[in-house]
Amino acid sequence: MKIAVVGSGYVGLCSAAGFASLGHDVVCVDMDKDKVDKINRGEPPMYEEGLSELLSETLKNKKICASAGMESIKSADFIFITVGTPSKPDGNLDLGYVQKASEDVGNFLKIRGYCTIVVKSTVLPGTAENSIIPTVERISGKKAGKDFGVCSNPEFFREGKALEDFFKPDRIIIGQYDDKSGDMLAKLYSSFQCPLKRTDLKTAELIKYASNAFLAMKISFINEIGNICKNLGIDVYEVAEGMGLDRRIGGRFLQAGIGFGGSCFGKDVSALLHKSQELNSRSQILEAVLSVNSKQPTRIVLLLKEKMDIRNKAIALLGLSFKEDTDDVRDAPSIAIISELLKHGCTINCYDPRAAENMRKIFPSLNYGSSALEALNSADACLILTGWKEFNNLSDKDFSVMKGKVIIEGRKILDRNKVSNYEGICW
Ligand code: UDX
């Protein structure tokens, strides 16, 4: 099949490289010329496990290429829209990139035959029907369901594991405008070994939001239980393990800590909350999910303040990215923690294996070390903010270079057999 992918963020590029490796001919379209050049040189513009290798392989086999304009797509069976949908300050979605992509696709369709538009960008229920289809029809002068097909095909990729999630998804959701569109997309996915659920467009759009909101709720729930555990001297991880043995609950996404971050959960929950308010049925659960999560990061600072006077002290921060195995600091809990520490005049010595450069753009004047040891050296206290595997190797010997003795982890990663004196935010 011939596939065009409009928007080369991690969702677009990982889907593109995935489809190319399955033998399809893929063109990545992105308005950022610099990104296009990088992709064509085999350099992914973002870090994603295995992507560099897959991109090189598919470029070598001439199965993928990138271009700054739609005119490079000679013919396409599918046009995937994978552009970003950032948040507006009021929590609603900014559909500017989706609108631009719909206009570009409309122009492309003026002179091309039937193809199926597949919306992978995360958009609220009704967006494909009320915004994307009318735009494409207006500009192309063609009719959805007759001259072109439309599907909603939400993705559930985790950053860092996007390729694993592409090749081995838990499920594939296909929202279809009409049977022909859905049949074509189902055929594209026919080699995937997982349940495939077909719905109408707006149901598929909501499945994405409801899934992310539910996962975010699980995290805020276990964080609240964790805060209770902390006061009672109970390890929340034991509680979570006990709960997770009930198959109705399941053990995943019950890791308490400093809260969720990243580009999806906060944005998606806010957008769904905004939608519920628009519909006059304000979601109290979603409000609580966000409220718990906004307070969770700075609880680690409160805990630290119970143990020492932090004014003007040197604090070592290990880990800056919103989770391990990524350089992404968007909505990272570390940002709120750093701001709080700076308010108290703390000197911050931090280390992250990948995210330092991105954090430097937000906080240029922190001391960025090139190893955990460098950050720990002479620090009065240490906070662990990301569960990078390498922190699991830290031992009492490493922490002995600190001036103070307080070590608090915000993600459960230290090894009790190697480090004798530390505690967790909820354990
Ligand atoms: C998420 C969804 O998992 C994915 O399906 C969707 O497509 C995009 O958003 P991602 O943001 O990459 O993926 O990361 P994820 O692994 O889900 O973690 C999100 C945040 O929650 C991280 O900050 C992580 O540390 C935190 N988290 C996750 C917890 O605090 N506890 C958990 O048990 C799980």
Side-chain angles (χ1 to χ4, degrees), residues 10 155-159 208 212 215 219 253-255 259-265 322-323 411:
Y10 88 102
E155 58 71 26
F156 303 94
F157 298 171
R158 293 160 298 165
E159 263 185 65
K208 167 70 192 238
N212 272 0
L215 292 171
I219 300 170
F253 268 73
L254 285 178
Q255 291 168 282
F260 59 77
S263 64
C264 293
F265 282 169
F322 80 97
K323 65 173 188 179
R411 303 284 187 204

Side-chain angles (χ1 to χ4, degrees), residues 351-391:
Y351 166 68
D352 188 288
R354 284 193 193 272
E357 284 322 302
N358 283 335
M359 193 55 94
R360 209 189 284 274
K361 292 176 201 154
I362 304 174
F363 296 107
S365 54
L366 309 183
N367 300 321
Y368 291 92
S370 54
S371 66
L373 269 189
E374 201 180 322
L376 290 172
N377 197 14
S378 305
D380 294 295
C382 167
L383 302 180
I384 297 177
L385 307 185
T386 314
W388 285 100
K389 265 204 194 83
E390 66 176 74
F391 300 153

Side-chain angles (χ1 to χ4, degrees), residues 107-128:
N107 275 316
F108 170 82
L109 283 179
K110 272 184 195 164
I111 44 165
R112 308 292 146 107
Y114 187 97
C115 74
T116 299
I117 301 167
V118 185
V119 185
K120 247 190 191 305
S121 298
T122 301
V123 290
L124 283 162
T127 306

Side-chain angles (χ1 to χ4, degrees), residues 3-9 12-13 16 26-32 35-36 39 65-73 79-83 100-101 104 108:
I3 298 174
V5 179
V6 183
S8 299
L13 193 52
V26 183
V27 182
C28 303
V29 182
D30 201 288
M31 58 187 184
D32 183 339
K35 234 183 209 180
V36 166
I39 296 169
C65 68
S67 163
M70 296 286 289
E71 57 288 344
S72 61
I73 311 171
I79 302 179
F80 280 80
I81 297 182
T82 56
V83 293
K100 167 86 175 64
D104 289 348
F108 170 82

